[in-house]
Amino acid sequence: MVTMSQSEIAVTIRQSMEASIRVLDVHKYYDLGETRVHALRGITMDIVGGEFLAIMGASGSGKSTFMNILGCLDKPSSGTYFLDGIDVSGLSKDELAAIRNRKIGFVFQGFDLLSRTTALENVELPTLYAQVSKEEGEERAREALDLVGLGDRSTHFPSQLSGGQQQRVAIARALVNKPSILLADEPTGNLDSRTSVEIMEILGRLNDAGLTIVLVTHEHDISQFAKRTIQFRDGRVRRDELVVNRQTASEVLKSLPVEED
Amino acid sequence: MDLIAVARIAVRALARNKMRSSLTMLGIIIGVGAVIAMVGVGQGAQQQVQQQIAAMGSNILFVGSGTVTRGGTHMGWGATKTLIYADMLAILRECPAVKAAAPGSNTSTQVVYGNDNWAARINGTEPQYFDIRNWPFREGTSFTQQDVEMAANVAVIGESVRKNLFAATDPLGQTIRIKSLPFKVVGVLAQKGTSAAMGDDQDDVVLVPITTLQKKITGQDWLRWIMVSASSRQASYAAQEQIKSLLRDRHRIRVGQDDDFMVRNLADMADLADQAGSVMTMLLASIASVSLIVGGIGIMNIMLVSVTERTREIGIRMAIGATERNVQSQFLTEAVVLSLIGGAIGIVFGMGASYLITNTLGWVVLGPVHTIAGPR
Ligand SMILES: Nc1ncnc2c1ncn2[C@@H]1O[C@H](COP(=O)(O)OP(=O)(O)O)[C@@H](O)[C@H]1O
Ligand SMILES: [Mg+2]
């Protein structure tokens, strides 16, 4: 084991587990009157269970479009997307909603919490659509808030929380129904560097616990906390590589000066 | 997703934006409140009219000397001189549905006590008048049948006359002057109040024996009215017919000729007032319904605007697993909850408002009652 290189380990993992996400030649285009915007031009990739993947690429290269397809918020124009072996294109709207509710957690760049709603209620939200009792929903929401270190802020409103705290609430919300995949579209895009590392530390911990994570970022530093990076360019995969000399966010955090707030 | 969960989501969403929620509710509150208040006022007025009619006395019929059209000129009420005391005796004798009757005539003149004087209506009648009209005494008693026979100078005064002439003294046993004749006050009537609609004061009256009025004050020997009470409300309809045919007979009115008298039945009046009241209530309610519809449109409007305004919220909910149906039922439930709460508040407001209007204004708007509020 010690002599195995990072890439060899990754290959081993990939062979040993069934791919939880398989995307085959996915295209996505938007018809805007006469012009057609080609956002994705044939993406093929496998993402296995437990993976920690960072998607990189210039603005407009199709990262968000791809994430929306992975998150069942949008459907590909052509190509197939298998989620845990199931062809998603054959599912009804309500079945897709159930997948978004239970199998996938989504974190956005803009946090997208409901305003004038406490952190706890925001985190509870997905449980309201999941046939979970009020008590269990609240219980789970508290656990999720504890997990992101905000157990003491449950009654705060988004406007009373810093950006990093809001993003942690959003992560807790994504986790509350215990999904197997976490999708995060530029979760650190609006945060300063230290807070970004803190968020990555949380994601690292979750991944260690077995959660599959796909994250979009255009910061190279951030992508290096993942285990694998994929480079998008003009709707195509340009490069797919494993992260070498991976640093964990918790180590980096120790080396960063603590800011007073 | 079950109803409770939907309700929970909707109520939370409403609580999150209290300002918007309460403004939306305002339309329904006003609409429902207006309908309740208007119906309440209408029914209150109806009830009050019925009470006033009942307070007039039970099963009353009013026989008045008639209106007459002579040479194309309408001579007005009380213009004929054909109604006489013998008619009353005949009514008592020959109409089985009639229980009691009192004759009456009246004039208006100055009443003097000491240095004070007061213009009042002078009614001449007989003692049973007070029973028929269900009019209790504040002090003293009625003049007697004997007083009537002797055309005695005795008087019963109404509360308004007492207030104006006897502010400081006890009127019983005092002497007042009418047309410079002295009258001994034997009784003071309890307050009856202002008659419905006409606003004329029923207590502004002096009652003397009919004979005294006819012989000593007016010099007229005909009656202006006869107050009759039937043995029951039902009997009052029969009494009306009996009196009509009797008087036509006695006054020798040929078939096809108009009556020279009129008979008004209080039961008829009550029915008429009831009908008029219902029409008014309906009218008020339909006007108020317009504001209810406007309130409903208001809710629709604000819900529609807020759907466009709340696309972000809808997006978030869909992204975390809400189905389209979930979101639809949330908005529908929000509208229903707003309507229900608004409606409940509106009912309370409406009841309060109608209570205030009916009680502070003492509002009666119905017309026909004044006709039987009492002869003038
Ligand atoms: N809803 C849409 N309608 C039209 N064009 C879109 C839409 N969403 C994305 N695009 C276009 O698709 C391309 C990829 O967009 P996106 O996936 O958001 O890129 P990224 O997230 O990598 O910046 C862009 O050219 C963008 O303008
Ligand atoms: Mg993007």
XYZ file of all heavy atoms in Angstrom, chain A residues 80 188 244 250:
27
model
N -26.962 10.199 -21.985
C -27.637 9.565 -20.859
C -26.893 9.809 -19.557
O -25.677 9.969 -19.529
C -27.759 8.042 -21.059
O -26.817 7.630 -22.034
C -29.155 7.661 -21.472
N -17.477 28.365 -2.427
C -16.597 29.340 -1.779
C -16.435 30.593 -2.621
O -15.637 31.463 -2.314
C -15.198 28.722 -1.540
O -14.627 28.383 -2.814
C -15.296 27.474 -0.690
N -2.250 15.245 -6.694
C -1.057 14.700 -6.041
C -0.667 15.607 -4.884
O -0.986 16.796 -4.889
C 0.120 14.560 -7.042
C -0.129 13.374 -7.967
C 0.304 15.839 -7.832
N -7.860 20.824 7.043
C -7.651 21.064 8.474
C -6.188 21.411 8.765
O -5.915 22.250 9.626
C -8.104 19.849 9.287
O -7.562 18.674 8.744
